[in-house]
Amino acid sequence: MQQKRLGCLTPLAITATLVTLLIIAGTVFASGSGFFNAGSLNAQTGETPLGGVTSHAAIGSECAKCHPAPWEADSLGDRCAVCHAEITTQLADPASLHGLMLGSAAKLNCRSCHSEHKGPTAALTDAEPKNFPHDKLKFSLASHPKRADGLAFACRDCHASGFSSAFQQSLCADCHRQMDAVFMAAHLIEYGQDCQACHDGLETLGKAFDHHLLAFTLAGKHADLRCAECHTNARSRADLKNTPAACQNCHQKDDPHQGRFGAACGDCHNPAGWRDSVQFDHNLANFKLEGKHAGLACEKCHTNPASFAGTPAACVDCHAKDDQHNGEFGSDCAACHNPSDWKDAKVDHSLFAFKLDGAHVNVDCLQCHINGVFKGTPQECGACHAKDDAHSGRYGLVCSLCHSTAAWKPATFDHRLSRFPLTGAHASLACERCHASGQFTGTPLACSGCHGDPAFHAGMFGSNCEQCHNTNSWNASYTGSHPGIADEGGSGVNHGGQGCRSCHTVSLHSATCTACHSGNQGGGD
């Protein structure tokens, strides 16, 4: 059985549909804008005729005055501007209503706000807040979705005399008093009646405002302040931005220094507390804090809290009461003392007449400076070492003639400074070999004082030992003329080249010629 086709899809039906559409299109094209009629036009009259009529209704069936034909280049907005020439003028003025909203728009779209064909008494402006570009009028409705009573805002709520009427700013206060009357009373006193001078409807300066995004961040006690405490007499956003950020602009009344330290309060104070958080980098001052000075409370030195500049920097100004020297050494305490410990004093003794060297370097100051008296301390050795003087003062107070600061013992003495210079074997002798019992004064200078007369001298040659002996050797030869005997040279010394003991075997008196010349009795010698 053959399937039947739907009647609307037969070739005949499709052809009939296309022909009908072509007839309609041709009719519209031929009749132009007069083909449409969506309803009666508005009959509201204006004071001055525009385009030869006082209302849209007066245009009647002349649709072409507003609606261009499809083939024409004009738009509906262009036809509106033919009659409403003032709109073109407003577009050139950015301060006007249409200038703000549209700017220099190349193509007008009047229908977005203005509707027609809704009857003779219908409103010609359809601009409810949700559809109207209010942001372009310098006040956004973003933060105003509802009134204080919870209902949605309508244009008439703010523009009481109609859409085109100027906004009355007193309505802001009226509305916000219903939400918080106490806040509004204070707010109007602090910032004035011109709400739009600060507020833009976007909460730029409202609850969404973040002070941390600015150069002056709020910290410590600043964070709890009301805006008006810093932004005094501010009446616009410009006033708020131009609020001085220097501490002294707000805190001059709190400045106990009366400006003596300039305007940079932040060098010492911080927002945590004006008085409780004072911190100062003393390295920025002429007086650096070191040692125990660093831990002192400010008022220990700055006794007048209202005055820091001019605080004396000399040690004696604070430490005069600690000065055990009673001013004997002037005011430069730092010459001996340091900030780490007042009693741990060290002095550069090389600056004084008495230089410290050797064992003196390690001696405690008070061993020489008795009872802490420094000025007038004796410089003679005996003043300190009298108790160590084994000589009981017999050699005076100039101990350094024998002793040195390296050690009290052993002592050295330059015997050349005495009446008995040491030469030969004498130079290597221990002092006590001559200075018995530590006695130095009165020590005999004659040889016989140490070198008693030998037995074989029998006192014959007196005490002048050096006529035969010298300090290099005790066994030296006699250098004088031998009495009664002449040698070949006539001097009688070393007769026959012999030493004294060759003849004087027992004593000087025991020598005889026959002891050596017994076999020469006939000779003449």
Side-chain angles (χ1 to χ4, degrees):
M1 182 177 67
Q2 185 177 6
Q3 185 180 7
K4 292 183 179 181
R5 297 180 179 176
L6 294 175
C8 62
L9 296 179
T10 62
L12 181 60
I14 294 173
T15 301
T17 301
L18 292 175
V19 171
T20 301
L21 292 175
L22 289 173
I23 293 172
I24 294 172
T27 303
V28 172
F29 190 80
S31 62
S33 58
F35 182 81
F36 301 97
N37 187 354
S40 58
L41 295 173
N42 186 282
Q44 297 180 39
T45 60
E47 297 179 359
T48 304
L50 298 176
V53 298
T54 56
S55 70
H56 287 178
I59 296 174
S61 60
E62 299 181 58
C63 301
K65 278 196 171 184
C66 296
H67 298 279
W71 61 83
E72 293 180 318
D74 289 350
S75 66
L76 179 61
D78 295 330
R79 294 297 174 92
C80 293
V82 172
C83 292
H84 297 280
E86 76 279 6
I87 302 303
T88 304
T89 303
Q90 286 188 27
L91 293 176
D93 180 9
S96 66
L97 176 62
H98 288 89
L100 283 169
M101 293 176 59
L102 303 175
S104 57
K107 190 172 183 178
L108 296 175
N109 183 19
C110 305
R111 286 183 295 179
S112 61
C113 294
H114 303 285
S115 60
E116 242 311 353
H117 298 287
K118 292 185 178 181
T121 60
L124 286 173
T125 301
D126 181 14
E128 288 302 310
K130 62 180 180 179
N131 301 322
F132 187 73
H134 215 284
D135 291 4
K136 295 184 177 180
L137 300 180
K138 297 184 179 180
F139 190 86
S140 173
L141 299 180
S143 61
H144 288 76
K146 294 182 181 181
R147 304 184 308 188
D149 58 9
L151 298 176
F153 268 107
C155 299
R156 60 182 175 275
D157 291 326
C158 298
H159 301 278
S161 300
F163 171 78
S164 61
S165 65
F167 170 63
Q168 299 296 321
Q169 292 202 66
S170 60
L171 295 174
C172 293
D174 293 340
C175 186
H176 284 277
R177 281 194 190 97
Q178 298 178 44
M179 294 183 283
D180 192 338
V182 175
F183 170 81
M184 278 307 300
H187 199 69
L188 292 173
I189 292 173
E190 292 170 346
Y191 297 105
Q193 306 289 331
D194 188 1
C195 304
Q196 285 183 280
C198 295
H199 298 284
D200 56 5
L202 293 171
E203 288 296 318
T204 301
L205 296 179
K207 295 179 181 178
F209 178 69
D210 186 358
H211 220 289
H212 292 287
L213 299 177
L214 304 181
F216 192 97
T217 58
L218 297 183
K221 292 191 174 181
H222 283 163
D224 300 327
L225 294 176
R226 292 183 304 104
C227 304
E229 291 187 67
C230 296
H231 301 285
T232 55
N233 299 318
R235 293 294 183 266
S236 66
R237 284 191 287 269
D239 291 342
L240 294 171
K241 290 180 180 180
N242 293 330
T243 298
C247 303
Q248 67 169 355
N249 294 105
C250 286
H251 294 288
Q252 189 170 15
K253 62 183 182 299
D254 305 315
D255 182 11
H257 321 302
Q258 299 177 358
R260 289 187 294 272
F261 300 117
C265 307
D267 287 345
C268 302
H269 303 274
N270 66 65
W274 180 254
R275 294 183 181 275
D276 300 333
S277 60
V278 179
Q279 294 181 342
F280 176 64
D281 184 358
H282 229 283
N283 290 327
L284 301 175
N286 293 328
F287 192 93
K288 309 293 186 295
L289 295 185
E290 300 172 332
K292 291 190 175 180
H293 284 163
L296 291 177
C298 304
E299 57 269 17
K300 292 282 288 188
C301 298
H302 303 285
T303 53
N304 181 0
S307 177
F308 287 81
T311 298
C315 305
V316 71
D317 292 301
C318 284
H319 294 288
K321 62 183 181 299
D322 306 314
D323 182 11
Q324 298 179 357
H325 320 303
N326 298 317
E328 290 180 289
F329 302 112
S331 61
D332 186 15
C333 307
C336 300
H337 301 276
N338 65 76
S340 297
D341 188 345
W342 177 256
K343 293 184 177 180
D344 182 22
K346 293 182 180 179
V347 61
D348 184 359
H349 230 282
S350 63
L351 301 175
F352 298 93
F354 191 91
K355 310 294 188 291
L356 296 184
D357 54 17
H360 282 165
V361 172
N362 299 318
V363 173
D364 182 78
C365 303
L366 296 182
Q367 285 189 250
C368 298
H369 302 286
I370 308 301
N371 297 324
V373 177
F374 291 79
K375 197 170 184 179
T377 298
Q379 299 182 31
E380 297 80 9
C381 304
C384 284
H385 294 288
K387 62 183 182 299
D388 306 313
D389 184 8
H391 320 302
S392 301
R394 290 188 298 273
Y395 300 114
L397 299 177
V398 188
C399 307
S400 57
L401 291 176
C402 299
H403 302 276
S404 73
T405 58
W408 184 251
K409 293 181 179 181
T412 59
F413 177 65
D414 187 356
H415 234 281
R416 291 174 298 176
L417 302 176
S418 69
R419 291 183 297 162
F420 194 91
L422 297 181
T423 60
H426 283 168
S428 60
L429 290 178
C431 302
E432 57 269 19
R433 290 290 301 275
C434 299
H435 303 284
S437 301
Q439 297 295 321
F440 291 82
T441 304
T443 300
L445 301 178
C447 301
S448 58
C450 288
H451 301 286
D453 189 23
F456 54 84
H457 284 181
M460 295 178 59
F461 304 107
S463 60
N464 190 14
C465 304
E466 58 266 27
Q467 65 180 334
C468 296
H469 303 277
N470 61 63
T471 58
N472 291 324
S473 174
W474 180 251
N475 294 321
S477 298
Y478 175 69
T479 58
S481 175
H482 198 288
I485 299 177
D487 60 6
E488 296 177 355
S491 65
V493 177
N494 292 330
H495 177 65
Q498 302 300 311
C500 300
R501 287 190 181 278
S502 298
C503 300
H504 304 280
T505 57
V506 178
S507 69
L508 291 178
H509 299 285
S510 64
T512 60
C513 295
T514 58
C516 291
H517 301 286
S518 59
N520 297 328
Q521 296 181 359
D525 292 335

